[in-house]
Amino acid sequence: MFIDTRANVTADTMFVHLTSAKMSIDSIFKINDCRTEDEVRDAICNAAYTAGLDYFHYMGDFYLDRHNRIRKMLTNFPKEWIERYAACEYEKVDPALEHAFSHVTPLIWSNFCIRNEPSEQQRYLNDARQHGIGNGISFPIQTRNGDNAILSFANTASRSNTDDILLGTLAGGSLAETFVH
């Protein structure tokens, strides 16, 4: 049996976390019924809240043709953090974004994870914490048309013991990403 000694999680307890739906299926399916960006934003926010999460962030690049693309972003992250992210050009060092454009598996980011990140990524993650962004999970979205996107859920930095919530979001978050993009 595989045992993760970092968090004292066994394969059996991991299965329990993954199979206990934390994100409401109804709230996920409501995303698919949305007609406007405001409706999508509200539906994703509701899905996050039903899972016990405080924030969501969606960013997607849509190719119009081989040379032109548009970027869409929907979020309820604090405005100050969005402005800081842009001003500091954190897109260049964001480990979740880097992961999303090169992997198809979700990425859980927590205090444990940042210990092994390069110093510029540690600075980025520490700055996010100072702006209220705590632990989270990101779902990469890649389409056959070449579109790339990311859907992330997070808690406020002041909350603790969010690992169970993040593990419980794996299944629902994967389904939600298919409806968002």
Side-chain angles (χ1 to χ4, degrees):
M1 173 184 292
F2 170 78
I3 298 178
D4 182 344
T5 56
R6 296 171 299 188
N8 203 16
V9 175
T10 66
D12 291 337
T13 58
M14 181 76 86
F15 178 77
V16 170
H17 288 298
L18 295 178
T19 56
S20 61
K22 300 245 182 187
M23 190 174 280
S24 160
I25 295 296
D26 289 339
S27 67
I28 295 168
F29 281 115
K30 285 182 182 173
I31 297 169
N32 197 44
D33 296 333
C34 297
R35 301 285 180 245
T36 67
E37 281 187 20
D38 287 339
E39 288 178 359
V40 172
R41 181 181 294 108
D42 291 346
I44 300 170
C45 194
N46 184 54
Y49 290 156
T50 66
L53 297 156
D54 301 307
Y55 298 123
F56 80 90
H57 182 80
Y58 168 80
M59 185 190 71
D61 290 333
F62 297 87
Y63 283 89
L64 303 173
D65 56 41
R66 291 174 44 170
H67 306 289
N68 298 303
R69 69 181 171 126
I70 59 170
R71 175 165 283 173
K72 288 289 189 175
M73 183 175 68
L74 299 172
T75 189
N76 72 341
F77 277 167
K79 182 180 178 186
E80 298 78 21
W81 172 241
I82 297 300
E83 291 170 353
R84 173 88 173 159
Y85 186 97
C88 294
E89 298 181 335
Y90 279 146
E91 185 173 316
K92 295 177 182 176
V93 298
D94 182 341
L97 197 58
E98 181 181 296
H99 179 87
F101 291 151
S102 60
H103 295 81
V104 294
T105 55
L107 174 70
I108 294 177
W109 28 283
S110 66
N111 292 330
F112 178 81
C113 299
I114 68 171
R115 296 183 311 177
N116 299 320
E117 294 293 332
S119 61
E120 63 187 7
Q121 289 180 332
Q122 285 183 14
R123 278 193 299 277
Y124 156 74
L125 292 166
N126 287 329
D127 197 10
R129 301 262 187 278
Q130 291 174 352
H131 283 84
I133 309 299
N135 296 343
I137 185 168
S138 295
F139 298 90
I141 305 168
Q142 299 166 358
T143 70
R144 64 179 174 201
N145 298 334
D147 297 343
N148 287 303
I150 185 171
L151 175 62
S152 298
F153 297 99
N155 280 309
T156 59
S158 62
R159 290 181 65 183
S160 61
N161 298 329
T162 59
D163 291 343
D164 287 344
I165 294 171
L166 296 176
L167 286 173
T169 305
L170 281 170
S174 293
L175 181 59
E177 76 172 59
T178 63
F179 292 137
V180 172
H181 194 79

